[in-house]
Amino acid sequence: MRDLLPVLERWYAARVPFGLATVVSVSRSAPRGPGAAMAVGPDDEVVGSVSGGCVEGAVFDLAQEVVAESEARLATFGYSDEDAFAVGLTCGGEITVLVRPVTPETDPAFGAVAASVGSGEPVTVATVVDGPARRGAALAVWPEAVAGSLGDPGLDVAVTADARGELALGATGLRHYGPHGERREDSVSVFLHSFAPPPRMLVFGAIDYAAAVARIGAFLGYRVTVCDARPVFATPKRFPEGVEVVAEWPHRYLRGTETDERTVICVLTHDPKFDVPLLEEALRRPAAYIGAMGSRRTHDDRRKRLVEAGLDERELARLRSPLGLDLGARTPEEVAVSVAAEIVALRWGGSGAPLTATSGAIHAAGSA
């Protein structure tokens, strides 16, 4: 979508209707993931791709029909068992594509969304894919604003909360609801397309606990990097696939790495020569969570050293040490769950208490 924006904004500003096709789900070895887009505009101009060439011809025809009828359509493409030469994916996969007409009348928020995406401002676009709601209806959700509607106030509220949760992780995918936003029903399918890079999780200390924390971090949607000054431990084969592994002194790596208000920093080195200079750097830069592993005694010694390094009480108050919630965890995997639980609770303002000990709504207003 980012690559298509200059053309789409030109069409939109000229009030020229165009058909926008978006991949909303894939299976097996489909060549493009959810969010891949293609648009068909005036004079049969085409930009983008949904499959790398396999089904573009069929999508082109569908987009023309959608614009002519001003009604969104859903189509699934894959190999045809009856005719191997039918429109299909040569890789054997399957994609489902939503094609909807876009004009200032059908999608008044599109211009604002395009401007946000172009400027790097996070935004999620929620679009009805199927069910008892108007297919193609769109709701744009920013961290502090909303535009558009999916056609029902309850559905808008539920989707807005989930869209902000997906936006916090830079995640994209299908969600399912009841017609009025009921979370235990699945009659309405909504595609949440987040325009934000996934947040980073920086794990320092290539110990066995780090592999478990990295694994659960990736599961939660973070882009995970593990860093350790010892090359013998900082090797990719010791960590889950897709996790970046860096052999460098932790504080030097962090000093050269950009962080923001979504970044999670987990310090598992529990060695003063590593973690004190690292935390001195971490506690003075943007981050959503900064946690350090160690015993109470280790924490007291670490805190004393950080005070001697010049950190004040406001900076020290950001440190979660010992990191994690009190779950009675013992194994690396259990400790990783404890750390992940604290990260989620901090992000959404959760108490960490058992739900049986709380009352009122489980999901606070504005949360996912």
Side-chain angles (χ1 to χ4, degrees):
M1 177 67 80
R2 297 179 192 276
D3 295 337
L4 314 189
L5 275 180
V7 176
L8 301 190
E9 287 183 296
R10 173 165 51 85
W11 292 344
Y12 190 80
R15 309 185 74 84
V16 177
F18 60 90
L20 179 61
T22 305
V23 176
V24 296
S25 69
V26 303
S27 66
R28 300 190 299 278
S29 56
R32 303 291 304 275
M38 167 181 159
V40 178
D43 300 322
D44 295 339
E45 183 178 357
V46 178
V47 291
S49 171
V50 293
S51 73
C54 302
V55 303
E56 269 64 16
V59 173
F60 174 84
D61 292 338
L62 189 58
Q64 288 186 315
E65 295 173 11
V66 160
V67 170
E69 299 168 3
S70 193
E71 185 174 335
R73 301 267 292 275
L74 190 68
T76 297
F77 299 97
Y79 258 127
S80 168
D81 293 332
E82 293 78 20
D83 184 359
F85 295 99
V87 172
L89 299 171
T90 56
C91 58
E94 184 177 271
I95 63 172
T96 299
V97 179
L98 174 69
V99 188
R100 64 187 183 95
V102 178
T103 66
E105 290 73 31
T106 61
D107 193 347
F110 185 86
V113 169
S116 292
V117 175
S119 65
E121 179 185 7
V123 61
T124 293
V125 178
T127 311
V128 174
V129 171
D130 207 2
R134 185 174 64 84
R135 179 176 288 157
L139 176 72
V141 180
W142 291 267
E144 304 295 337
V146 176
S149 174
L150 302 182
D152 180 87
L155 183 60
D156 287 347
V157 169
V159 171
T160 295
D162 287 348
R164 287 185 173 139
E166 299 290 75
L167 189 57
L169 292 172
T172 287
L174 281 173
R175 289 286 192 113
H176 305 280
Y177 308 86
H180 306 296
E182 300 90 342
R183 294 182 180 277
R184 289 181 292 177
E185 299 183 27
D186 61 2
S187 59
V188 179
S189 298
V190 179
F191 182 64
L192 302 183
H193 192 176
S194 296
F195 295 93
R200 299 200 64 182
M201 173 181 279
L202 307 177
V203 182
F204 295 95
I207 61 176
D208 49 358
Y209 289 94
V213 170
R215 186 175 298 110
I216 203 166
F219 175 76
L220 290 176
Y222 289 92
R223 179 164 69 92
V224 183
T225 299
V226 176
C227 175
D228 196 298
R230 303 162 296 180
V232 67
F233 293 110
T235 59
K237 66 181 180 182
R238 300 184 62 239
F239 296 93
E241 184 178 357
V243 171
E244 180 186 28
V245 182
V246 176
E248 175 63 280
W249 275 80
H251 71 284
R252 291 175 186 165
Y253 176 76
L254 183 58
R255 190 174 296 155
T257 300
E258 183 177 351
T259 64
D260 60 26
E261 288 74 12
R262 302 183 301 154
T263 304
V264 165
I265 298 173
C266 297
V267 179
L268 311 183
T269 49
H270 53 84
D271 183 331
K273 71 175 179 291
F274 293 129
D275 57 16
V276 170
L278 171 59
L279 287 170
E280 185 179 355
E281 175 70 29
L283 292 169
R284 287 172 169 161
R285 59 165 53 229
Y289 175 91
I290 303 170
M293 176 177 279
S295 65
R296 306 270 183 205
R297 181 176 178 179
T298 297
H299 168 71
D300 292 340
D301 177 70
R302 179 190 291 135
R303 193 180 193 283
K304 178 182 177 182
R305 292 172 183 267
L306 289 171
V307 170
E308 292 172 351
L311 274 78
D312 60 32
E313 288 301 321
R314 180 184 58 82
E315 293 166 332
L316 291 170
R318 301 179 62 204
L319 177 60
R320 300 277 171 157
S321 175
L323 81 177
L325 298 185
D326 181 13
L327 306 182
R330 293 290 186 273
T331 67
E333 290 72 22
E334 291 173 343
V335 169
V337 170
S338 167
V339 173
E342 184 176 41
I343 291 169
V344 172
L346 183 62
R347 182 199 303 160
W348 297 113
S351 67
L355 289 173
T356 54
T358 65
S359 60
I362 293 176
H363 300 283
S367 67

